[in-house]
Amino acid sequence: MLEERFISHSAPTLAGLKTANLFTLPFSSRREAVRQLEAWNRELSRKDVYVTALRMKEREALVYVYRKGKLEETLKKEGVMEFLQAYGYEEAGAAGVVDCLKAKFARSDEFPHEVGVFLGYPLKDVKGFIANGGKNCKWVGCWKVYCDECEAKKRFAAFQKCRRVYAALFQQGKTVNQLTVAV
Protein backbone atom coordinates (compact mmCIF):
# COMPACT_ATOMS: atom_id res chain seq x y z
CA MET A 1 0.00 0.00 0.00
CA LEU A 2 2.89 2.41 0.74
CA GLU A 3 4.38 1.89 -2.71
CA GLU A 4 1.01 2.38 -4.40
CA ARG A 5 0.51 5.67 -2.53
CA PHE A 6 4.08 6.71 -3.34
CA ILE A 7 3.56 6.08 -7.05
CA SER A 8 0.12 7.68 -7.25
CA HIS A 9 1.41 10.91 -5.70
CA SER A 10 4.93 10.99 -7.19
CA ALA A 11 4.58 9.58 -10.71
CA PRO A 12 5.42 12.86 -12.52
CA THR A 13 8.63 13.19 -10.50
CA LEU A 14 9.54 9.53 -10.97
CA ALA A 15 9.00 9.97 -14.72
CA GLY A 16 11.22 13.07 -14.81
CA LEU A 17 8.35 15.39 -15.81
CA LYS A 18 8.28 17.37 -12.58
CA THR A 19 10.82 18.64 -10.06
CA ALA A 20 9.05 17.26 -7.02
CA ASN A 21 5.89 16.07 -5.34
CA LEU A 22 4.64 16.35 -1.80
CA PHE A 23 2.21 13.98 -0.09
CA THR A 24 1.12 12.72 3.30
CA LEU A 25 2.18 9.18 4.16
CA PRO A 26 0.27 7.53 7.00
CA PHE A 27 2.18 5.06 9.15
CA SER A 28 1.63 2.89 12.20
CA SER A 29 5.22 3.02 13.42
CA ARG A 30 7.63 5.95 13.16
CA ARG A 31 10.52 3.49 12.93
CA GLU A 32 8.89 1.72 10.00
CA ALA A 33 8.26 5.05 8.23
CA VAL A 34 11.92 6.04 8.63
CA ARG A 35 13.00 2.64 7.32
CA GLN A 36 10.73 3.00 4.29
CA LEU A 37 12.06 6.48 3.48
CA GLU A 38 15.64 5.24 3.82
CA ALA A 39 14.89 2.27 1.55
CA TRP A 40 13.41 4.52 -1.14
CA ASN A 41 16.46 6.79 -0.91
CA ARG A 42 18.90 3.90 -1.25
CA GLU A 43 17.00 2.62 -4.26
CA LEU A 44 16.21 5.88 -6.05
CA SER A 45 19.12 8.20 -5.29
CA ARG A 46 21.09 6.46 -8.05
CA LYS A 47 18.50 7.94 -10.40
CA ASP A 48 18.67 11.43 -8.83
CA VAL A 49 15.42 10.99 -6.87
CA TYR A 50 15.50 11.73 -3.15
CA VAL A 51 12.85 11.23 -0.50
CA THR A 52 12.67 13.07 2.80
CA ALA A 53 10.10 13.77 5.50
CA LEU A 54 9.59 17.51 5.82
CA ARG A 55 7.49 16.95 8.92
CA MET A 56 6.65 13.88 10.99
CA LYS A 57 3.65 13.78 13.25
CA GLU A 58 2.35 10.98 15.42
CA ARG A 59 0.90 8.84 12.61
CA GLU A 60 1.86 10.57 9.37
CA ALA A 61 4.76 12.09 7.53
CA LEU A 62 4.74 14.92 5.00
CA VAL A 63 6.97 13.39 2.34
CA TYR A 64 8.93 15.39 -0.23
CA VAL A 65 10.05 13.42 -3.30
CA TYR A 66 12.39 15.41 -5.54
CA ARG A 67 14.90 15.29 -8.32
CA LYS A 68 17.98 17.00 -6.99
CA GLY A 69 19.23 17.99 -10.45
CA LYS A 70 15.92 19.59 -11.40
CA LEU A 71 15.80 21.45 -8.07
CA GLU A 72 19.33 22.73 -8.72
CA GLU A 73 18.19 23.96 -12.16
CA THR A 74 15.22 25.73 -10.56
CA LEU A 75 17.45 27.45 -8.03
CA LYS A 76 19.61 28.82 -10.86
CA LYS A 77 16.68 30.43 -12.65
CA GLU A 78 16.53 34.20 -12.61
CA GLY A 79 15.00 35.56 -9.44
CA VAL A 80 14.49 32.25 -7.62
CA MET A 81 17.27 32.51 -5.03
CA GLU A 82 16.51 36.18 -4.42
CA PHE A 83 12.88 35.21 -3.80
CA LEU A 84 13.85 32.40 -1.42
CA GLN A 85 16.36 34.62 0.40
CA ALA A 86 13.50 37.01 1.16
CA TYR A 87 11.89 34.06 3.01
CA GLY A 88 15.04 33.23 5.00
CA TYR A 89 16.82 30.72 2.75
CA GLU A 90 20.52 31.43 2.94
CA GLU A 91 22.00 28.28 1.42
CA ALA A 92 22.27 28.18 -2.36
CA GLY A 93 22.32 24.45 -3.19
CA ALA A 94 19.51 21.92 -3.21
CA ALA A 95 20.64 20.24 0.02
CA GLY A 96 20.86 23.57 1.85
CA VAL A 97 17.47 24.88 0.80
CA VAL A 98 15.78 21.54 1.53
CA ASP A 99 17.34 21.56 5.01
CA CYS A 100 16.04 25.10 5.53
CA LEU A 101 12.58 24.06 4.34
CA LYS A 102 12.61 21.12 6.77
CA ALA A 103 13.58 23.49 9.59
CA LYS A 104 10.65 25.77 8.70
CA PHE A 105 8.25 22.83 8.87
CA ALA A 106 9.76 21.76 12.20
CA ARG A 107 9.33 25.23 13.74
CA SER A 108 5.73 25.80 12.74
CA ASP A 109 2.50 24.09 11.79
CA GLU A 110 2.08 26.80 9.15
CA PHE A 111 2.62 25.80 5.55
CA PRO A 112 5.33 27.96 3.93
CA HIS A 113 3.84 29.04 0.59
CA GLU A 114 7.25 29.34 -1.03
CA VAL A 115 7.20 25.53 -1.10
CA GLY A 116 5.75 25.91 -4.60
CA VAL A 117 9.26 26.73 -5.83
CA PHE A 118 10.46 23.39 -4.40
CA LEU A 119 7.70 21.61 -6.31
CA GLY A 120 8.68 23.17 -9.63
CA TYR A 121 5.77 25.60 -9.89
CA PRO A 122 6.51 28.70 -11.96
CA LEU A 123 7.90 31.48 -9.78
CA LYS A 124 5.30 33.93 -11.11
CA ASP A 125 2.51 31.59 -9.93
CA VAL A 126 4.11 31.17 -6.49
CA LYS A 127 4.41 34.94 -6.17
CA GLY A 128 0.84 35.36 -7.45
CA PHE A 129 -0.48 32.93 -4.87
CA ILE A 130 1.29 34.75 -2.04
CA ALA A 131 0.29 38.23 -3.26
CA ASN A 132 -3.35 37.22 -3.70
CA GLY A 133 -3.66 35.10 -0.57
CA GLY A 134 -4.59 32.12 -2.75
CA LYS A 135 -7.49 33.98 -4.40
CA ASN A 136 -8.08 35.47 -7.87
CA CYS A 137 -6.25 32.77 -9.82
CA LYS A 138 -6.92 32.06 -13.51
CA TRP A 139 -7.04 28.27 -13.13
CA VAL A 140 -6.69 25.57 -10.50
CA GLY A 141 -4.93 22.30 -11.24
CA CYS A 142 -1.85 20.91 -9.51
CA TRP A 143 -1.32 24.47 -8.27
CA LYS A 144 -3.16 27.79 -8.58
CA VAL A 145 -2.24 29.46 -11.85
CA TYR A 146 -1.81 33.23 -12.00
CA CYS A 147 0.17 33.62 -15.23
CA ASP A 148 0.43 31.19 -18.16
CA GLU A 149 -2.85 29.29 -18.00
CA CYS A 150 -2.40 27.55 -21.36
CA GLU A 151 1.05 26.15 -20.51
CA ALA A 152 -0.11 25.10 -17.04
CA LYS A 153 -3.09 23.18 -18.47
CA LYS A 154 -0.72 21.27 -20.79
CA ARG A 155 1.53 20.38 -17.87
CA PHE A 156 -1.44 19.33 -15.70
CA ALA A 157 -2.70 17.03 -18.48
CA ALA A 158 0.74 15.45 -18.86
CA PHE A 159 0.98 14.88 -15.09
CA GLN A 160 -2.50 13.30 -15.00
CA LYS A 161 -1.71 10.99 -17.92
CA CYS A 162 1.55 10.00 -16.24
CA ARG A 163 -0.29 9.11 -13.02
CA ARG A 164 -2.77 6.91 -14.93
CA VAL A 165 0.00 5.12 -16.86
CA TYR A 166 2.12 4.59 -13.74
CA ALA A 167 -0.87 3.28 -11.75
CA ALA A 168 -1.59 0.76 -14.49
CA LEU A 169 2.06 -0.31 -14.72
CA PHE A 170 2.22 -0.70 -10.94
CA GLN A 171 -0.89 -2.90 -11.06
CA GLN A 172 0.91 -5.02 -13.68
CA GLY A 173 3.78 -5.62 -11.25
CA LYS A 174 6.30 -2.85 -11.95
CA THR A 175 8.23 -1.65 -8.89
CA VAL A 176 8.97 1.93 -7.81
CA ASN A 177 12.55 1.47 -8.98
CA GLN A 178 11.46 0.15 -12.37
CA LEU A 179 9.10 3.10 -12.80
CA THR A 180 11.76 5.67 -11.93
CA VAL A 181 13.42 7.14 -14.99
CA ALA A 182 17.13 7.95 -14.78
CA VAL A 183 17.65 11.44 -16.23
Side-chain angles (χ1 to χ4, degrees):
M1 181 168 161
L2 292 180
E3 283 198 341
E4 185 173 18
R5 186 172 187 90
F6 184 84
I7 289 168
S8 72
H9 289 285
S10 304
T13 299
L14 299 177
L17 300 176
K18 195 168 181 292
T19 301
N21 287 93
L22 190 62
F23 68 97
T24 301
L25 184 68
F27 58 81
S28 55
S29 156
R30 185 182 204 99
R31 177 189 284 176
E32 189 55 41
V34 169
R35 271 194 225 143
Q36 182 61 65
L37 296 175
E38 288 172 350
W40 282 331
N41 268 314
R42 276 191 308 276
E43 194 173 357
L44 303 178
S45 61
R46 289 175 253 150
K47 296 181 179 181
D48 194 42
V49 174
Y50 295 84
V51 185
T52 190
L54 294 178
R55 177 185 290 151
M56 289 191 83
K57 294 196 174 192
E58 188 175 324
R59 295 283 176 211
E60 65 183 25
L62 183 61
V63 177
Y64 179 57
V65 180
Y66 68 104
R67 287 198 173 262
K68 187 176 181 183
K70 281 189 175 281
L71 181 56
E72 292 283 357
E73 288 173 20
T74 296
L75 297 173
K76 291 176 184 172
K77 289 182 180 175
E78 184 179 340
V80 172
M81 276 312 301
E82 292 85 1
F83 170 77
L84 289 176
Q85 286 169 345
Y87 286 90
Y89 295 83
E90 295 177 12
E91 297 297 321
V97 295
V98 170
D99 284 346
C100 185
L101 181 64
K102 286 172 74 169
K104 283 186 163 219
F105 273 102
R107 285 192 305 267
S108 172
D109 282 339
E110 296 292 316
F111 205 89
H113 296 304
E114 71 272 9
V115 76
V117 169
F118 291 83
L119 297 168
Y121 302 171
L123 182 58
K124 288 181 179 181
D125 287 337
V126 175
K127 287 179 174 181
F129 180 89
I130 293 168
N132 287 279
K135 296 179 172 88
N136 306 318
C137 63
K138 293 180 179 180
W139 185 260
V140 177
C142 298
W143 62 84
K144 290 188 176 183
V145 179
Y146 291 87
C147 293
D148 193 342
E149 181 181 352
C150 184
E151 181 59 30
K153 284 180 178 181
K154 288 179 196 173
R155 289 181 67 192
F156 297 162
F159 298 158
Q160 193 59 31
K161 180 178 181 181
C162 178
R163 284 186 180 93
R164 283 193 308 272
V165 168
Y166 270 47
L169 291 169
F170 180 73
Q171 293 303 318
Q172 294 170 13
K174 296 287 185 190
T175 66
V176 171
N177 189 42
Q178 290 171 324
L179 292 170
T180 304
V181 175
V183 290

